[in-house]
Amino acid sequence: MRLFNLIAATLVAATIATPAAANSFFDPATRKWVDFSNHGAPSGKSPIRREIVRYDGPYAPGTIIIDTGERRLYHVQENGRAMKYGIGVGREGFQWAGTQRISRKAEWPGWTPPPQMRARERAKGRVLPAHMPGGPNNPLGARAMYLGNTLYRIHGSNEPWTIGTAVSSGCIRMANDDVVHLYDRVDVGARVVVKR
């Protein structure tokens, strides 16, 4: 009976200590519950610091240039400058190049893995959900910018340690802090140039 009471008390304490809201997550770095609906970085900052750099290339202000070889994204500014971000890119066999436009933007987007990705992962013994609601555990992170009518996006990540690597299925990953920063500065219709 004592063991039963101890287990019951532990469960009640855990329930009280855990926020019921679906918009909360436990941040192990700060050891606190955080409401992710009001800010954009539940999974940490990029290991690659964003910075303003000189830009003298041919693209107009507002253009996003993605250099997959360098694993950097440049958002062209006025006066010969660009904001430079670290990114994660497509792994071998999932790399691509071309020009697109941002066709849609979403905050805390849900994720619907494409059928080919689900089939690929199923062959490896991993079952992906048909749909995953937005939130801190969602692979798309805090924001997503959809590229034309392709399957690709520039999106946040709940795995900031993958920034600077080639691990995605073709999407461009950014740490949540950085994707929110970029998202707030670009509009639907912005040109995106992806270079290999």
Side-chain angles (χ1 to χ4, degrees):
M1 186 65 160
R2 233 183 211 172
L3 180 60
F4 175 77
N5 289 340
L6 180 60
I7 291 171
T10 302
L11 288 174
V12 168
T15 303
I16 292 169
T18 305
N23 290 346
S24 296
F25 78 100
F26 185 76
D27 183 350
T30 62
R31 302 177 74 102
K32 294 180 181 176
W33 285 95
V34 180
D35 177 3
F36 72 82
S37 63
N38 293 324
H39 69 64
S43 297
K45 295 183 183 295
S46 175
I48 301 166
R49 186 175 59 87
R50 69 177 173 251
E51 60 181 317
I52 298 251
V53 296
R54 292 180 57 119
Y55 175 75
D56 60 2
Y59 298 107
T63 305
I64 295 171
I65 304 163
I66 295 168
D67 187 326
T68 59
E70 186 186 358
R71 299 180 186 161
R72 297 295 184 271
L73 180 151
Y74 296 85
H75 183 219
V76 180
Q77 315 285 301
E78 300 283 346
N79 302 320
R81 305 244 183 241
M83 181 63 75
K84 178 181 176 182
Y85 303 86
I87 56 172
V89 299
R91 63 187 181 272
E92 189 65 37
F94 291 88
Q95 298 156 352
W96 61 282
T99 301
Q100 292 291 332
R101 297 256 178 205
I102 293 177
S103 54
R104 182 167 77 90
K105 295 170 57 177
E107 297 186 13
W108 293 106
W111 179 48
T112 302
Q116 56 270 52
M117 178 185 281
R118 294 184 72 208
R120 208 168 46 240
E121 293 300 313
R122 191 169 34 255
K124 297 178 198 172
R126 183 173 173 225
V127 178
L128 293 181
H131 178 78
M132 180 183 246
N137 295 320
N138 188 301
L140 298 186
R143 304 288 186 273
M145 290 158 275
Y146 296 78
L147 302 178
N149 60 2
T150 71
L151 297 174
Y152 304 121
R153 297 164 290 264
I154 299 167
H155 65 78
S157 176
N158 57 14
E159 300 173 329
W161 56 89
T162 65
I163 304 307
T165 67
V167 296
S168 80
S169 295
C171 284
I172 305 305
R173 293 182 178 193
M174 302 178 77
N176 281 330
D177 267 1
D178 284 348
V179 80
V180 169
H181 190 266
L182 178 65
Y183 182 98
D184 290 344
R185 288 159 177 78
V186 299
D187 296 319
V188 169
R191 186 179 188 195
V192 179
V193 178
V194 179
K195 300 177 173 184
R196 286 189 66 184

